[in-house]
Amino acid sequence: MKKVAILISGGGSNMVTLAESMQGDHPARPCLVLSNRPNAGGLAKAAAMGIPTEVVDHKTFGKDRAAFDAKIHDVLTQYQPDIVALAGFMRILTEDFMRKWEGKMLNIHPSLLPKYKGLHTHQRALDAGDSEAGCSVHVVTPELDGGPILGQARVPVLKDDTAETLASRVLIQEYRLYPEVLRRFADEETGVLELTSEA
């Protein structure tokens, strides 16, 4: 049985879907939910699910990203996860940290990578006149949102969409995609998972 640590910064909705999926014959179980914000709503949700929680407050490290990442690495090492899943973790990790967890760390990003790395993905898709948007799960590498893609879910862009309405529909697909990709990754399945949505 593989152990999964989930890193969050906010309400943890993707974390909850991941944790809820890891039951029955699933090859993995959550071993830790870690947040960089002490008041992250997802911490209480994780505790209510019986998952150990930890906080590494980035504010106490000032601009010293290396020291912050070193502390996260230390905490993770105590729990010895086989997989680290970033689920709304709003810190850019250092290359040194990524190298230590290379091949073990996943992230979900709200665009059809390699399009729209970084922020404001939904508005950028609308501005470009794209006919579809979506989300991608990828292996984390030092290149921002640039690691191998493990799965994508596609959502049609509607003519009256705003960034907010598009984001809400993409989020529904994130809840479908991330648990499926995590399961396949824990099972060491290869290939890219493709999901589509009618709306």
Side-chain angles (χ1 to χ4, degrees), residues 64-131:
D64 193 342
R65 286 174 54 204
F68 170 71
D69 284 6
K71 180 61 177 175
I72 289 184
H73 175 73
D74 288 346
V75 173
L76 287 175
T77 301
Q78 293 169 30
Y79 289 85
Q80 298 185 312
D82 302 289
I83 301 167
V84 177
L86 305 182
F89 187 69
M90 304 304 290
R91 305 296 295 174
I92 294 176
L93 296 159
T94 58
E95 187 169 334
D96 183 53
F97 179 90
M98 293 184 202
R99 295 263 179 246
K100 290 173 181 171
W101 295 94
E102 194 165 6
K104 295 182 175 183
M105 192 158 43
L106 305 180
N107 182 46
I108 189 158
H109 181 74
S111 80
L112 295 173
L113 292 172
K115 282 187 170 184
Y116 315 129
K117 299 176 182 183
L119 301 174
H120 311 302
T121 58
H122 306 299
Q123 188 60 54
R124 288 157 69 192
L126 292 174
D127 291 346
D130 290 351
S131 62

Side-chain angles (χ1 to χ4, degrees), residues 5 8 14 26 32 37 50 59 62 90 92 97 103 112 128 136 155 157 161 168 172 183-184 187 193 197 199:
I8 65 170
N14 261 311
H26 197 289
L32 169 68
R37 292 180 175 156
K59 290 181 180 175
M90 304 304 290
I92 294 176
F97 179 90
L112 295 173
S136 309
V155 175
V157 176
D161 260 332
S168 66
I172 292 168
R183 185 187 188 108
R184 289 162 58 98
D187 256 338
L193 178 66
S197 164

Side-chain angles (χ1 to χ4, degrees), residues 122-174:
H122 306 299
Q123 188 60 54
R124 288 157 69 192
L126 292 174
D127 291 346
D130 290 351
S131 62
E132 63 178 6
C135 52
S136 309
V137 177
H138 64 96
V139 178
V140 176
T141 64
E143 181 190 350
L144 177 66
D145 300 325
I149 294 168
L150 301 178
Q152 292 190 317
R154 298 172 183 276
V155 175
V157 176
L158 306 179
K159 66 180 190 308
D160 55 351
D161 260 332
T162 64
E164 291 73 24
T165 59
L166 183 57
S168 66
R169 295 206 321 284
V170 169
L171 187 61
I172 292 168
Q173 299 309 310
E174 290 182 29

